Amino acid sequence: MGHFEGALTALAHAEAAGASEPAVALERSGLLLDRGDDQAARCVLDAAIANDPFDPSLRRARAIARERACDPRGAVSDARLARDLDPSSFSMDDALRLARMLEATGDSSAAVASLEYALEIHGPSAILVLRVAELELESRRFNAALAAIDRLQRAGVAPFDIALRRGEVLERAGRSERARAEWHEARALLDRLPAARRRAPAIRGRYREVIRLVEESDRR
Amino acid sequence: MTSRMILATTVLAATASAQSEQTLVDQGSDWRYLDAGVDPGFLWSLSSFNDSSWPSGPAEFGFGDGDESTVVSFGPDPSQRHITTYFRHRFTVPHAAQYDAIELRLRSDDGAVVYLNGQELERRNLPAGPIAFETLALAPVEDYREEYGYPTFEHALGLRNGQNVIAVEVHLEAPDDLDMSFDLELIGHRGPSVTRGPYVQNMRASAATVCWRTIVPARGALWVGATPQTLVQVASDVQPRTEHELVVSGLDPASTYFYAVGVAGATTPTGSAPTPFRTPPVTGTREPFRAWILGDSGTLTYDQLRVRDAFRAHSAARPPDLALLLGDNAYREGLDAEYQSSFFEVYDQALSRIPFWSTRGNHELDLANYLATFAHPTAGEAGGVASGTESYYSFDWANVHFLCLDSFASDRSVGGAMWQWAELDLMSTTQDWIVAFWHHPPYSKGSHDSDLEYRQEEMRMNFLPLLEDYGVALVLGGHSHSYERSGQLYGHYGASTTFDPALHARDFGDGRPTGSGAYEHTTAGDAGAVYVVAGSSGSVSFGGSLDHPVMLHASRSLGSVILDVSGSRMDVTMLDDLGDVEDWFSIVDPAAGATICAGVADGEGCVPSMSLSGSTSLSSGQPLTITAEPVRANTFGLLVYSFGAGARSGPYRGQLCLSGELVRTSTIASGGSGPCTGRFDFAFDSLYNDPTHSMITPGATVYCQYWYRDVGVVPSTFSEAIWFTVDP
């Protein structure tokens, strides 16, 4: 808390010098959010946006504040405006956050659409495609989920992970035999990894997971 | 060059650019000047101003340095020197319209404003707004900046046919400033002269990006060839532009090419001389390479230059293949002009030949300029997983996977976009080595304390577990303007006070094969990584205690770091600004099948080598054979194995070098029918289902040696040892 108090004191001086500066408002609201004072952060941002309605940074910050205040629609409104005001500063985190906000409004199709729009801005991004696949799977749009997973391969994601994820989608879709084949494929791909990589703890964990899936599916 | 790249067979003679510029005002020209300590009034910069009463003399002007051609007066009181001295020079331009741009090379100590025919052309080291006689420069200017002040380029619209006047006011930084200097060169440019680069980026085994800047928009073009005499145009801009970024593809791995730039439609490249670059080898290839690592370099000081020159001299016989920038490449804000002076002007030779891969530091405040300066992979094209952003990315070089994270501006939380991407990326690489780099070091007690700064804390707490889980061997950071280097660490994510060597230090020796031994890195679970803070390539800071307990070496030495990779070994060297080796260590990867503990010739003169064949996977059902050959013919021996580390230190020539509980197999015969024609083969997989050998489980590291009956003074001997890890 000592850091916060010191920072807030410093900000008070900055505000005295330029209270309407968006950067000052952003710093103050960020500190207030970190301290858990969401209401005060929101007030700071509202005032700053009233002064400068087209600053994407302020809109982005208020979207976060609104999301934390369980106001997903307001959050989406600010996040979209921030993106449209300055697409070049629309980061991966912003893209995932906007999708999450849209999901919170119950509109997973809009979430997928926002991710696809972000992919148009950024070009291929494995994590955005991965989120598309997850959203499609959660919505039981299995073919769309599989299509998204196939795009992951083009983004450079490990083939064994692709097969593992495909197996999960197929299993959820009730295509157990195809899922089993995918998991066998995942195991074969893991077998072909260089020994040094297979020994990495995280890869060993994946290996165990795949072997469990293979054994379970073989038993059925 | 492959046939795919050869679009035409025309052999082009490459020529350098030079014909499109003309000096308008030379260094050492005569100027009129006013050093009387008075304000000449606001009209003094206009071309119509009457300066006939001002004295004249040749540049360089100034006082205090001893190299002036014309010494100007600073007044009678050394503690209250004239703040401002004024200069005017007339020059004639017959056809102003022929120039597209003018280049200004200004030498000024300290601040200066330059006017062309009354219009402000350039302001350096002075505040914004009106400038008065008493206005002080913002900061003192070091000799280096004074001497090599970066060129600036302006449109030539201010030039007139006939007589022109350039006027300059030079301001001291303080009334008792000891020195002042001024000289100026003005060059007129016709056509799209190159004002930055060209430089190579995003180098891959089969492609490379070439970037450069022209003074006026033009359709740039790129020529590439296997020799300087066989350049072929391979790419060109669609639209005229000043910032050019063209890709050549279809290159062969591990091959040297030459390139030059020019304008589309021309038959020869006139923008640069042919310059070589070398593509990396095929990904995964264990071909040696060298990386030059610079941290916090962009100070534009003699310190920065000394570090650069020390490395140049050290690496003259073995130049680097690539460079890593650990951020803060151009102080104070990473602005375009700062990058021009502190980066492009300083490293121009290296930039033209090898790719510089950068992470963003806290002084790269101008994100747009940072992103425009570098062309980093975003789509996984250099070997990693597509990040969709140049802020964090990865690339492969030979058998190393480099992971670049953004500790400054991206979300550093677990589950954030960068974290998720890093996990996918680390999961997907199949390279022997992984080296990670970012700006804010997870461990430092230099000018930035990793116990206090939240970015450093978050990188340590959130990312180190992930990196360890995937077997990262070396982590590089900057930010603190010092050199600090840890032992081999694992599992330490808290503040420095929580470091427990018994828990967190995997190897706290010096990491030197000639000392306590190289660090051994395996991805078998807990090998950990070595952490290097290399933020002293541009300056050192006297802040910080430099006593972080994980660090084995810490100093306030200027320098850069050299990473030499050769297959299963990485050598890391800190070279100081005098060219002396400040510190060094090695990390070796005794990958499956690696041998240790050299054997000796047996009584028959045979020196057996150990090898593995088959699969180390328990579940694969495949055989695993451990072989020693050549050995004496018709003798007998057995295989001895054990588990655990500690068995590998020290020289054990011809002796047992395993430790812990030894397990031995039944005896086997060597066979053969003559000297050194015998061999031992043991089917290690035959032990898998034997309860006697139940400790052979996935993840176990097994060390093996053959013992066999020998002749001579010592009637038995041991082979070298081999080790491997049992896979699931």
Side-chain angles (χ1 to χ4, degrees):
Chain A
M1 195 60 81
H3 292 320
F4 287 118
E5 297 310 325
L8 284 169
T9 304
L11 265 175
H13 293 295
E15 284 175 331
S20 62
E21 281 295 312
V24 175
L26 280 173
E27 282 296 321
R28 174 169 279 277
S29 64
L31 284 167
L32 290 167
L33 280 174
D34 287 345
R35 203 170 62 168
D37 198 345
D38 295 8
Q39 189 63 33
R42 175 71 189 275
C43 288
V44 168
L45 290 167
D46 284 346
I49 287 172
N51 194 46
D52 188 352
F54 301 113
D55 184 303
S57 303
L58 292 172
R59 290 283 176 179
R60 194 174 299 122
R62 193 169 74 174
I64 294 169
R66 284 177 143 175
E67 186 189 25
R68 283 176 53 151
C70 299
D71 174 15
R73 292 185 194 285
V76 164
S77 170
D78 274 333
R80 275 184 167 151
L81 190 53
R83 177 194 66 189
D84 296 341
L85 285 169
D86 185 8
S88 67
S89 67
F90 186 61
S91 70
M92 296 295 149
D93 287 302
D94 295 333
L96 291 178
R97 190 180 300 115
L98 175 55
R100 188 176 66 219
M101 292 167 179
L102 285 161
E103 211 187 337
T105 67
D107 191 347
S108 70
S109 294
V112 168
S114 77
L115 289 166
E116 295 290 1
Y117 183 68
L119 283 161
E120 283 180 28
I121 295 172
H122 291 290
S125 157
I127 55 159
L128 297 188
V129 175
L130 180 59
R131 190 68 195 122
V132 169
E134 289 168 349
L135 283 168
E136 300 287 24
L137 179 58
E138 287 160 17
S139 304
R140 301 186 64 78
R141 293 188 287 259
F142 300 116
N143 286 335
L146 288 172
I149 289 171
D150 289 344
R151 288 159 68 190
L152 280 178
Q153 192 143 15
R154 294 194 291 276
V157 173
F160 76 81
D161 191 55
I162 303 286
L164 186 58
R165 291 177 193 278
R166 283 181 58 86
E168 183 187 357
V169 174
L170 291 163
E171 178 73 8
R172 292 270 296 273
R175 310 291 295 273
S176 297
E177 269 309 299
R178 284 184 61 193
R180 178 171 167 270
E182 292 288 353
W183 289 330
H184 274 270
E185 173 70 4
R187 187 178 68 174
L189 290 164
L190 277 163
D191 282 341
R192 288 206 286 273
L193 279 183
R197 291 310 299 155
R198 277 207 310 272
R199 289 197 302 272
I203 301 290
R204 283 215 306 272
R206 303 288 279 184
Y207 212 150
R208 279 194 289 271
E209 182 186 353
V210 168
I211 287 170
R212 180 184 62 77
L213 288 166
V214 166
E215 289 174 351
E216 285 179 5
S217 62
D218 283 351
R219 275 199 297 271
R220 284 199 293 264
Chain B
M1 182 187 291
T2 64
S3 57
R4 286 172 290 157
M5 205 197 74
I6 301 174
L7 304 177
T9 55
T10 313
V11 177
L12 301 173
T15 57
S17 69
Q19 69 272 32
S20 57
E21 41 181 81
Q22 183 166 340
T23 300
L24 303 175
V25 177
D26 214 342
Q27 290 181 33
S29 294
D30 282 335
W31 293 70
R32 290 193 178 275
Y33 61 98
L34 179 64
D35 62 351
V38 296
D39 185 344
F42 65 94
L43 300 176
W44 76 275
S45 64
L46 300 179
S47 53
S48 56
F49 181 78
N50 182 359
D51 57 16
S52 59
S53 63
W54 292 16
S56 67
E60 175 186 332
F61 295 89
F63 57 78
D65 292 332
D67 58 352
E68 302 86 4
S69 296
T70 302
V71 176
V72 300
S73 169
F74 54 75
D77 183 353
S79 66
Q80 291 295 324
R81 302 181 185 217
H82 304 329
I83 297 299
T84 307
T85 309
Y86 301 87
F87 301 90
R88 288 171 57 88
H89 175 82
R90 295 175 195 276
F91 63 100
T92 302
V93 177
H95 304 290
Q98 70 180 311
Y99 297 107
D100 294 297
I102 47 177
E103 176 184 353
L104 177 69
R105 290 185 172 268
L106 173 65
R107 178 176 186 174
S108 62
D109 179 356
D110 293 293
V113 186
V114 180
Y115 306 87
L116 177 61
N117 299 319
Q119 298 296 312
E120 183 173 327
L121 192 64
E122 169 75 1
R123 180 180 299 213
R124 204 169 287 181
N125 195 21
L126 280 165
I131 300 292
F133 174 81
E134 301 83 6
T135 305
L136 294 171
L138 294 170
V141 171
E142 283 198 46
D143 290 345
Y144 169 74
R145 282 179 183 270
E146 175 192 328
E147 189 172 347
Y148 297 99
Y150 52 88
T152 56
F153 297 89
E154 307 288 343
H155 279 285
L157 299 176
L159 278 182
R160 297 174 181 166
N161 286 334
Q163 190 176 79
N164 291 262
V165 172
I166 190 157
V168 182
E169 53 183 295
V170 178
H171 293 245
L172 300 184
E173 180 263 345
D176 58 352
D177 203 339
L178 295 177
D179 63 348
M180 187 275 266
S181 300
F182 165 68
D183 197 358
L184 178 151
E185 185 178 12
L186 197 66
I187 299 163
H189 286 266
R190 293 188 293 272
S193 295
V194 175
T195 59
R196 174 178 290 182
Y199 57 106
V200 290
Q201 287 278 284
N202 203 2
M203 185 91 75
R204 293 97 83 187
S206 62
T209 301
V210 175
C211 305
W212 74 99
R213 173 181 289 176
T214 49
I215 199 162
V216 293
R219 284 185 57 220
L222 172 64
W223 281 257
V224 178
T227 69
Q229 292 75 37
T230 56
L231 301 183
V232 175
Q233 187 175 316
V234 296
S236 61
D237 290 318
V238 175
Q239 297 290 334
R241 54 198 305 159
T242 57
E243 306 298 327
H244 307 274
E245 185 177 313
L246 292 175
V247 176
V248 55
S249 56
L251 303 176
D252 286 335
S255 301
T256 297
Y257 293 94
F258 291 79
Y259 76 100
V261 301
V263 292
T267 54
T268 57
T270 56
S272 67
T275 305
F277 68 83
R278 185 170 174 79
T279 53
V282 170
T283 295
T285 309
R286 291 170 181 159
E287 193 168 302
F289 71 89
R290 167 168 287 187
W292 183 25
I293 298 153
L294 293 156
D296 304 69
S297 56
T299 55
L300 192 58
T301 58
Y302 278 128
D303 289 346
Q304 181 186 14
L305 298 186
R306 280 202 305 275
V307 170
R308 178 200 65 184
D309 294 343
F311 175 78
R312 270 186 192 166
H314 178 88
S315 296
R318 176 62 182 95
D321 301 281
L322 68 155
L324 304 182
L325 296 166
L326 303 179
D328 289 0
N329 310 319
Y331 287 94
R332 295 288 303 173
E333 298 177 16
L335 303 174
D336 184 78
E338 292 169 335
Y339 257 93
Q340 186 68 28
S341 59
S342 306
F343 183 65
F344 287 103
E345 299 276 321
V346 175
Y347 304 116
D348 53 347
Q349 288 182 29
L351 277 161
S352 68
R353 292 164 182 250
I354 63 169
F356 279 56
W357 308 82
S358 178
T359 186
R360 190 179 173 198
N362 55 300
H363 284 274
E364 265 80 37
L365 294 170
D366 186 342
L367 175 62
N369 183 60
Y370 176 78
L371 296 178
T373 298
F374 297 101
H376 291 143
T378 61
E381 68 269 31
V385 165
S387 68
T389 172
E390 290 188 60
S391 294
Y392 46 88
Y393 59 91
S394 60
F395 66 96
D396 289 330
W397 199 284
N399 60 334
V400 179
H401 186 67
F402 288 95
L403 177 77
C404 173
L405 299 177
D406 171 25
S407 59
F408 177 51
S410 294
D411 183 354
R412 295 169 295 277
S413 60
V414 173
M418 183 166 68
W419 193 97
Q420 287 187 52
W421 167 79
E423 183 177 37
L424 277 179
D425 185 74
L426 291 167
M427 181 197 299
S428 301
T429 184
T430 58
Q431 293 281 69
D432 292 338
W433 294 102
I434 305 173
V435 174
F437 65 105
W438 62 84
H439 184 64
H440 298 80
Y443 307 112
S444 176
K445 286 286 183 180
S447 48
H448 295 279
D449 189 329
S450 56
D451 288 345
L452 299 177
E453 295 199 13
Y454 68 97
R455 287 186 174 92
Q456 292 170 259
E457 287 177 347
E458 289 175 4
M459 292 306 291
R460 184 175 66 244
M461 291 189 295
N462 298 342
F463 276 87
L464 296 201
L466 181 69
L467 303 190
E468 289 174 347
D469 242 10
Y470 284 97
V472 172
L474 178 66
V475 176
L476 305 163
H479 198 41
S480 281
H481 295 182
S482 52
Y483 173 76
E484 298 165 90
R485 192 267 287 183
S486 76
Q488 201 172 26
L489 309 178
Y490 182 88
H492 175 50
Y493 316 126
S496 59
T497 51
T498 65
F499 176 67
D500 180 349
L503 289 175
H504 304 127
R506 285 295 171 266
D507 188 339
F508 229 42
D510 62 10
R512 297 174 185 170
T514 56
S516 60
Y519 299 124
E520 291 192 349
H521 181 82
T522 78
T523 46
D526 58 357
V530 180
Y531 295 81
V532 175
V533 180
S536 61
S537 302
S539 68
V540 290
S541 168
F542 291 94
S545 53
L546 290 188
D547 60 353
H548 199 294
V550 306
M551 296 299 178
L552 293 174
H553 189 110
S555 71
R556 301 184 205 281
S557 300
L558 287 164
S560 57
V561 168
I562 302 166
L563 171 64
D564 285 310
V565 180
S566 181
S568 59
R569 174 171 170 156
M570 293 202 296
D571 295 307
V572 181
T573 304
M574 195 285 192
L575 187 76
D576 72 15
D577 60 324
L578 301 175
D580 296 325
V581 173
E582 164 91 19
D583 178 38
W584 69 282
F585 63 94
S586 303
I587 311 175
V588 295
D589 181 5
T595 56
I596 54 175
C597 307
V600 291
D602 62 22
E604 207 169 63
C606 325
V607 184
S609 295
M610 293 283 275
S611 61
L612 292 178
S613 58
S615 171
T616 55
S617 168
L618 269 180
S619 63
S620 69
Q622 299 295 311
L624 173 63
T625 304
I626 299 172
T627 300
E629 64 172 338
V631 298
R632 286 183 60 213
N634 299 314
T635 187
F636 69 93
L638 51 84
L639 186 74
V640 185
Y641 74 88
S642 70
F643 303 94
R648 290 167 287 162
S649 58
Y652 289 92
R653 289 187 173 275
Q655 300 172 37
L656 180 69
C657 75
L658 311 183
S659 68
E661 186 177 350
L662 301 179
V663 185
R664 67 184 191 182
T665 65
S666 53
T667 57
I668 48 180
S670 68
S673 57
C676 296
T677 55
R679 61 183 284 159
F680 292 121
D681 289 302
F682 182 76
F684 198 82
D685 56 292
S686 66
L687 307 178
Y688 290 171
N689 296 317
D690 184 338
T692 311
H693 304 275
S694 60
M695 286 179 68
I696 303 173
T697 54
T701 301
V702 181
Y703 301 84
C704 304
Q705 265 186 299
Y706 275 106
W707 169 92
Y708 61 97
R709 183 61 70 192
D710 196 7
V711 292
V713 178
V714 181
S716 67
T717 191
F718 278 91
S719 69
E720 64 180 2
I722 198 166
W723 76 272
F724 62 95
T725 301
V726 179
D727 294 313

